[in-house]
Amino acid sequence: MSSLPVPPNSCLLAILLLTKYQYDPQIVFHYPPRPGEDDSKLHKYLRDFEGAESSSSNEDSTTSADDQDVEANSGVKPNKIQPHDLEVDETGSASPDKRNGIETPREHSNWGEIFGHNPHFLAKLLCPAKSGHKKRFEVSVNDKVFLGRPAFANEDGEWRKRKRKTGGGNDERQGDPESIQMPVKTSVQTTQDLSETSGLGSDSDNQEDGISNETLTIKQPAKDKANELQQRAKHRKIRRKDNLSMFQVVFIMAPPPLEYQLRVGEMYDYVVKKFSRALKWEQARSSLVSREGLMLARLTNSFGGRLSGILVGTLVKLACLTLLGPNPPLASLYHELLKNSNVARAIANVYSSISNCRIAQISLTPDLSLSLKIPVPTSTAVLPNLISHQLPGLWLTTATSIPLEDGAHFSSSQLASHFALLLLSDLPSILADVQSTDSPLAEHLADYLNVSKPTKSFLQISQSSGIALSDIQHIASHLIYWRRAAAIPPLHQRDIYIMSPNADMSKLASASAHFAKLYPALPPLPKILSLLSSTPRPYSTLIPSKDHKEAYMGILAWLFRYGWVTQLRTFAWIRVPPHILKSVAGGPAHGRNGSKESDPSTSDNATHLHVPNLASSPSSSTQSSTHTAVPISSSSPPTSPILVPRPLHPTTAASAYLAAMSAHVLFTQGEEARDGWEKCVKYFDGKHALETIAIREGWKRKKVGDLVAGWEGMGFLRRVRHW
Amino acid sequence: MIKAVFFAIFDNDEGPKVLHQVPTESITAGPSSTTQPLIHFPSVASFLIPRPNFCSNRISFTHNGYRLLSYPICISSSTYARNAYLFNFTFVLDEDTPFASYTTVILKLASLMRTLEEQSRFLSKDTSPPNSGKIYALCEVLMEDLNNYCETQIPIDEFNTLNIKLFPTYPPPPPLLPHHVPLSTVRLADLVDDNWDLTMLRILPYIDGVNSVKQISLRADADHKLTRKAVQHLLYYGCLLLLDIFQYGAIYAPTAEIAQFVESPEAQAECARYVAIPPPEQDSKETTTTVQVKGLSGTRIAELYLALRQGLTVRNWYLEHQSDLSEVDVRRFITFGVIKGFLYRVHKYAISPSALKHTKAASKKQGWQAKSKARSKDGTVSAAVAELGLAQYLDGTHCFDEICTELMISEKDLMGRLKDWPDVQIIHR
């Protein structure tokens, strides 16, 4: 049994930036300003600021669909400041007294402490030995985990490795042994360029397979080599002066004990490691951390300097300041810090995105931007029982897990072209987001979104619209990465859909209201669900007339989007009937067929069994038909039928049965059916949905349906339907 | 498994120092040693012997593929050379070992040692050479016992004994509803002793995989709330599974896990043993008998499971396969699938938008009183309030089992009463 998905929860409390110059390590920045305390007001204010900053770096559409839902539900929309607002904000009236909405509570006596620890001592604790370079750093004090990945300067105080290959502007990448995964995609240069500047973030490059989560784009403008060398020299000068010897971004988490390993592991793999690598890379390239670390310390000090002459540690000073200051200095300090430092802004952004389970889109320098996210489950194959953890509303399916032992030698990308795109929020809102970014990709995205249908696979859309398949897959993976869409098997009216056993019933009332607003002319949601929840039958039986088809397919997509329905897929095993067993055991025995009278217990309503269409004969899975039925009496073990578990790698006995069955198919149904049988055997392993045979083999659905129904009628197949 | 236990102090001359370690040379090794220590002590010494500010905190960290759990203690007193004595007992585990249960042990060990040190300078007076003496022996017994028995009892002196047990941490038990049917996974009767809770003793005989929580409390004549608590308690310790109420009118369908069952002859054999109706002379509760269903092969059992599907009640399924099922306990047949997770119960729900409005309006008008009255199911409650009782279950979150159990009516009665709401929709899920 595969493990059950857990609900997304980052357990993130705060992020610190720890730097060590010549002497003691120092926490130069941390976010949120008052970790572990309810600082919603302050935070909201800063988030506005942060939002404004990031929108200027094309981050507008990073909020995922579900976030929007959450925000819509809670009624709190982050009011993003428009660029012109921001200008006013920064130039004219950025004075602290304008922000008197943020009161600093004075009763906090333990100010400046971070979760009760003196920041100075905490910094020392969090400063690892040099042997920890680029290794996972994990220290927990009571229930809080401090997770980081320290980076140290070389022996000579340099951040760049000496050894360097000759080459153009590329060399620094090679120079750094742990060079960040660069966009691996080399094929469609145009789309890559487009995506870099697109509003949906600049990072779908290595998202083709949907597996890699690191998305990072480094624009390497065609700089002059001389120019670059000059810059490098400049940076080196700075570096000598400041001598940053170590830095570390520390993520503070409080995971529940039972989920400790999982949460900490995820945070490290998906966020800490990637973020630290990017900073290290940028430090080696442009001394970003050492420059900004100094600046952050200076800014904080200058704020405290007026009050305190003793150099204790920035945050202690900050503490005094906040206690004594007449204005809310913390807010203006953070305003300053965020305004001036890319690193600070990135940390703040990572904190607010990751702690809300969103995707963080950050840009450290104009040349380096990356996105970070902890993946959330999008589908599960396991239905939770009464005891296990519940995550209702999650799409219940096995369609997203392609069997490992895929006998068809069908590459996943090939199969992927037969998936369709299901938008997870409504088209107008996605289009609006896309258009608001005003990037060159927006037009392509909009073009595609306008022709995209959940009933049509990528391949079909490519053929009908003339957009290249690779482009479509690129855009689709982009939308999927940003949690705006999901890849599903194309919805088809002849497939069977049922109300998902994992549907979130507690949302039914609100969903019904939503549904009624969207589809006022159609039956209410409970009625539709009721229709979908009786005996499984093809979706087309629900559609009252041809004119309703489009509307009903629209509803189906809607139901899918919110996890109300799932597709019942058909799986089958090869069943070796007794007469084959006998014929293999005791020589040819074809004459036996049909001579037996049917056993009353095994005969079924035969009329159902001979309906040629696979999908419309739901009851045929019950028993074998009459025409070849042999007594499956529960008496003699050698004649009782067996199911072949792995038809692709059969045992000796099983391959003899398969050969006999193949011969029998040839004998009774002819050559074409035999060829079909030979081709289909590998799918009858209980892991391949029969619905995919038509796509994989390039046959018509009807052909597959007829063949399967025929074999089932002969008692050669045993079918089951699940998701 | 604990890989090592060691005792470190802040030595006034040498700084952080490991005094005793089990196994020897697992933490610090002499120059002539052939074994490689598990960790590099100097690089982690600052966590193990931290500044006094961080003492009396649980400090754990990972290093070199191991997780070190410790609780440094600093005792300030003028009797010590530098007015303070700083020590730490540390457990070394593999990095990916679940360690939640060890954290309390560390805390207990540290606080006992602190007391001993304050009382009699137990630690600081011990001048035995490294890896010998009382403290070393204590570490040794501690590690061996915890690894082998998960508990230990070490007498330290005539007044003090170290009693330690590793308690596993479990997730909180799931919400328990009156219609859930508990089924024990262990022989609860064998675990009982005199100290057990009275309600628990009362209800135990009725936990049989057939009775719902409500029925248990009624049959045992025990308070419903207490019954629920007792069952939840057993659930927490994993002694119970939860099932649904088995009825012939219920619908079960296979989940994706059915594939594993179909391809596993062992699981089929297990099933055959479980579902067989034992010969009449034996007590039906004895499940250990190795009765086999005559002539029902594993494949046939799998085929019977594959024949279950959405929209088909157990009754109709039974009628279709009567001849095969003559020697099969159908309830156990179905339950087996549910327990193993390859069958799921398709529950029925009733949804009525007008009933929802009705409930809202009524609860607004009459407040909590009416609701609680309706819940009490008192026979004298007026019809309107009783209907309100039903209305509150028609929002789609309450399945038929639950409604029938709560209102103590049969499904037929329920269907009859549902006719009062014209817009009611029945959903199977």
Side-chain angles (χ1 to χ4, degrees), chain A residues 220-432:
Chain A
Q220 203 77 51
K223 273 183 199 163
D224 274 348
K225 202 178 175 185
N227 188 7
E228 181 151 326
L229 283 174
Q230 202 180 342
Q231 267 208 332
R232 215 176 279 166
K234 202 176 97 195
H235 287 149
R236 203 165 295 156
K237 253 184 223 162
I238 300 169
R239 219 174 288 147
R240 291 238 170 79
K241 205 172 76 189
D242 59 42
N243 258 339
L244 180 73
S245 61
M246 189 278 300
F247 77 91
Q248 164 159 242
V249 185
V250 182
F251 286 63
I252 307 176
M253 301 167 67
L258 285 167
E259 294 172 4
Y260 181 96
Q261 315 267 18
L262 173 78
R263 302 295 186 190
V264 173
E266 274 183 349
M267 184 67 81
Y268 182 76
D269 290 342
Y270 295 114
V271 182
V272 178
K273 202 161 148 188
K274 289 171 182 175
F275 189 47
S276 304
R277 268 179 174 178
L279 283 175
K280 161 90 168 54
W281 193 84
E282 200 50 56
Q283 165 67 15
R285 207 176 66 103
S286 66
S287 305
L288 177 78
V289 181
S290 46
R291 266 186 293 127
E292 297 211 339
L294 279 181
M295 189 211 359
L296 288 169
R298 200 183 57 238
L299 274 174
T300 324
N301 284 347
S302 72
F303 256 76
R306 279 174 276 159
L307 290 159
S308 154
I310 315 150
L311 204 108
V312 190
T314 44
L315 285 158
V316 178
K317 231 180 287 171
L318 177 61
C320 307
L321 174 78
T322 333
L323 272 176
L324 304 171
N327 281 318
L330 193 66
S332 31
L333 169 62
Y334 266 81
H335 185 263
E336 280 300 301
L337 296 177
L338 293 181
K339 194 177 86 185
N340 288 309
S341 161
N342 284 330
V343 177
R345 211 157 49 232
I347 288 175
N349 192 341
V350 169
Y351 171 80
S352 36
S353 301
I354 297 295
S355 60
N356 289 314
C357 305
R358 285 195 310 235
I359 304 171
Q361 164 73 22
I362 53 177
S363 54
L364 287 172
T365 56
D367 296 344
L368 178 90
S369 60
L370 74 160
S371 69
L372 304 163
K373 69 167 180 178
I374 296 177
V376 294
T378 53
S379 71
T380 177
V382 184
L383 181 67
N385 59 25
L386 287 172
I387 295 183
S388 58
H389 212 84
Q390 314 261 334
L391 200 58
L394 199 61
W395 179 29
L396 187 68
T397 187
T398 54
T400 44
S401 48
I402 292 160
L404 282 178
E405 184 195 315
D406 198 329
H409 304 295
F410 219 82
S411 82
S412 58
S413 64
Q414 261 179 297
L415 196 61
S417 62
H418 294 290
F419 269 70
L421 196 72
L422 175 73
L423 299 179
L424 294 177
S425 44
D426 56 326
L427 181 63
S429 78
I430 297 183
L431 277 178

Side-chain angles (χ1 to χ4, degrees), chain A residues 47-60:
Chain A
R47 198 166 63 154
D48 287 350
F49 179 74
E50 187 192 298
E53 275 303 303
S54 48
S55 74
S56 65
S57 58
N58 281 349
E59 191 245 8
D60 224 25

Side-chain angles (χ1 to χ4, degrees), chain B residues 238-258:
Chain B
C239 304
L240 295 182
L241 293 172
L242 288 184
L243 306 174
D244 53 278
I245 300 173
F246 175 79
Q247 297 154 56
Y248 273 87
I251 298 172
Y252 294 86
T255 72
E257 257 96 275
I258 188 80

Side-chain angles (χ1 to χ4, degrees), chain A residues 121 140 142 503 575 601 718, chain B residues 53 57-58 60 303 323 429:
Chain A
F121 296 135
S140 53
N142 298 330
R575 176 177 177 278
S601 72
R718 176 61 68 228
Chain B
N53 321 53
N57 279 309
R58 190 155 45 71
S60 58
E303 287 189 291
S323 63
R429 186 191 73 136

Side-chain angles (χ1 to χ4, degrees), chain A residues 392-396 497-512 514-515 525-526 528-529 532-533 555-567, chain B residues 351 395-397 427-429:
Chain A
L394 199 61
W395 179 29
L396 187 68
Y497 299 93
I498 55 159
M499 173 147 189
S500 168
N502 203 36
D504 190 353
M505 296 299 272
S506 62
K507 290 201 179 123
L508 187 62
S510 59
S512 299
H514 185 195
F515 186 86
L525 180 61
I528 300 278
L529 292 178
L532 279 166
S533 68
I555 313 181
L556 186 60
W558 187 91
L559 291 169
F560 236 90
R561 181 191 296 165
Y562 296 105
W564 289 106
V565 295
T566 190
Q567 186 189 352
Chain B
I351 293 144
D395 63 351
T397 59
I427 290 182
H428 295 259
R429 186 191 73 136

Side-chain angles (χ1 to χ4, degrees), chain A residues 1 117 121-122 124-125 129 131 136-143 257-258 260-261 381-383 386-387 398 498-506 508-509 526-527 529-530 533-536 568 573 575 601 618-619 621-623 632 634-635 640-643 645 685-687 718-723, chain B residues 43 46-47 50-51 53-54 57-62 67 95-100 169-171 174 180 235 240-244 254-260 262-263 294-297 299-300 302-303 306-307 309-311 320-321 323-324 340 344 349 351 353 356 395-397 425-429:
Chain A
M1 192 193 279
H117 303 296
F121 296 135
L122 188 64
K124 285 201 164 166
L125 185 79
S131 58
R136 175 162 159 168
F137 173 87
E138 181 188 330
V139 171
S140 53
V141 179
N142 298 330
D143 296 323
L258 285 167
Y260 181 96
Q261 315 267 18
V382 184
L383 181 67
L386 287 172
I387 295 183
T398 54
I498 55 159
M499 173 147 189
S500 168
N502 203 36
D504 190 353
M505 296 299 272
S506 62
L508 187 62
K527 174 79 186 160
L529 292 178
S530 172
S533 68
S534 51
T535 307
L568 264 193
W573 284 273
R575 176 177 177 278
S601 72
S619 69
S621 64
T622 51
Q623 269 302 329
I632 313 168
S634 43
S635 51
S640 87
I642 58 166
L643 297 176
D685 60 352
K687 294 181 186 71
R718 176 61 68 228
R719 275 195 307 169
V720 66
R721 287 215 178 91
H722 59 73
W723 39 84
Chain B
S43 29
S46 62
F47 302 123
R51 311 183 145 266
N53 321 53
F54 282 101
N57 279 309
R58 190 155 45 71
I59 293 189
S60 58
F61 57 94
T62 55
R67 186 178 301 277
E95 190 176 317
D96 40 12
T97 310
F99 59 92
T169 320
Y170 299 113
H180 288 160
L235 266 179
L240 295 182
L241 293 172
L242 288 184
L243 306 174
D244 53 278
T255 72
E257 257 96 275
I258 188 80
Q260 274 100 303
V262 169
E263 296 177 6
K294 266 181 239 138
L296 199 55
S297 68
T299 305
R300 192 72 203 114
E303 287 189 291
L306 295 180
R309 60 169 188 271
Q310 287 87 357
E320 273 177 30
H321 304 278
S323 63
D324 284 323
K340 296 285 173 185
Y344 78 100
Y349 299 81
I351 293 144
L356 277 183
D395 63 351
T397 59
Q425 292 291 340
I426 310 289
I427 290 182
H428 295 259
R429 186 191 73 136

